[in-house]
Amino acid sequence: MTNINELLALFIEYKTEYTSIDSCIKWAENQLEADENIDDPDIILLAGAKTSMEANDFIKKILEHYMGNYVTKDRFCFGKYLVRIYDRYKNDEYTPERIEEILRNIEIKFDYSFEMGYLYNFSDLIWMNGKEPFEKEFEYIAELWRSVNSLDEFNQKYDEKISKSHVVR
């Protein structure tokens, strides 16, 4: 599948930024127009989806088929989204305050039945420890997410000692 990462990026944007699912449907339409993956029934059905719920189901099937079951899980999507937030921060598009606002909105949107301790560390780092510890932790977490291809891989590589070393005592 040549453009599956593009669909994943659009899906993550849909899940985290409150954007329309229409861009995911358009992705499927473009696949069919380019005569790519025209034998995949889920892509055909996604291109014809009429509701967000219907499209969401087909997107999940497509992503899980080509990339694995983990890619549609909230924690994986959130981690990959952190990379986008970090890149925007490094390009001076976001301030620490804006990042905190984004993280609060994500916390409300997602079901946090998983351990996301570093999510809360960002707020503490920003307001209690200053900009440098915040930037070190943000870089560590974002680059870790950038380098992994699964939630299991993230869990194996994440080192709480490194995160704790960013806190000024």
Side-chain angles (χ1 to χ4, degrees), residues 14-164:
Y14 162 70
K15 287 184 68 113
T16 55
E17 294 184 0
Y18 301 96
T19 60
S20 168
I21 204 163
D22 293 343
S23 59
C24 296
I25 295 170
K26 184 68 176 161
W27 174 89
E29 291 169 353
N30 290 341
Q31 293 293 297
L32 298 177
E33 288 172 9
D35 284 337
E36 293 184 33
N37 307 299
I38 58 173
D39 59 339
D40 186 321
D42 290 322
I43 293 176
I44 294 167
L45 292 169
L46 174 58
K50 301 296 181 211
T51 67
S52 293
M53 185 180 294
E54 183 181 23
N56 189 59
D57 291 343
F58 293 126
I59 294 165
K60 286 182 176 184
K61 284 181 182 181
I62 294 165
L63 290 172
E64 289 173 359
H65 173 75
Y66 290 101
M67 300 183 87
N69 292 344
Y70 63 88
V71 299
T72 60
K73 304 298 183 221
D74 287 349
R75 186 171 178 200
F76 182 81
C77 289
F78 172 75
K80 291 299 186 176
Y81 184 60
L82 270 180
V83 174
R84 290 183 67 174
I85 295 171
Y86 176 74
D87 290 343
R88 289 174 180 170
Y89 175 74
K90 293 305 286 182
N91 289 326
D92 294 324
E93 295 174 41
Y94 287 163
T95 64
E97 294 79 13
R98 175 69 178 124
I99 293 167
E100 184 176 36
E101 178 185 332
I102 290 168
L103 295 178
R104 282 188 188 160
N105 288 336
I106 290 172
E107 179 182 4
I108 292 166
K109 184 171 183 172
F110 286 100
D111 172 22
Y112 278 96
S113 57
F114 49 82
E115 177 55 40
M116 253 336 222
Y118 56 82
L119 171 67
Y120 304 106
N121 292 344
F122 281 152
S123 180
D124 291 345
L125 286 168
I126 294 170
W127 300 115
M128 297 169 54
N129 296 294
K131 193 172 181 179
E132 184 179 340
F134 159 75
E135 287 181 339
K136 286 181 181 178
E137 178 67 357
F138 199 10
E139 179 180 21
Y140 170 65
I141 295 299
E143 294 303 333
L144 184 57
W145 273 114
R146 188 185 315 273
S147 72
V148 301
N149 294 311
S150 73
L151 186 54
D152 287 341
E153 189 177 358
F154 177 86
N155 289 333
Q156 290 170 357
K157 290 184 175 185
Y158 175 72
D159 187 343
E160 188 176 359
K161 290 177 187 174
I162 293 173
S163 285
K164 286 184 177 184

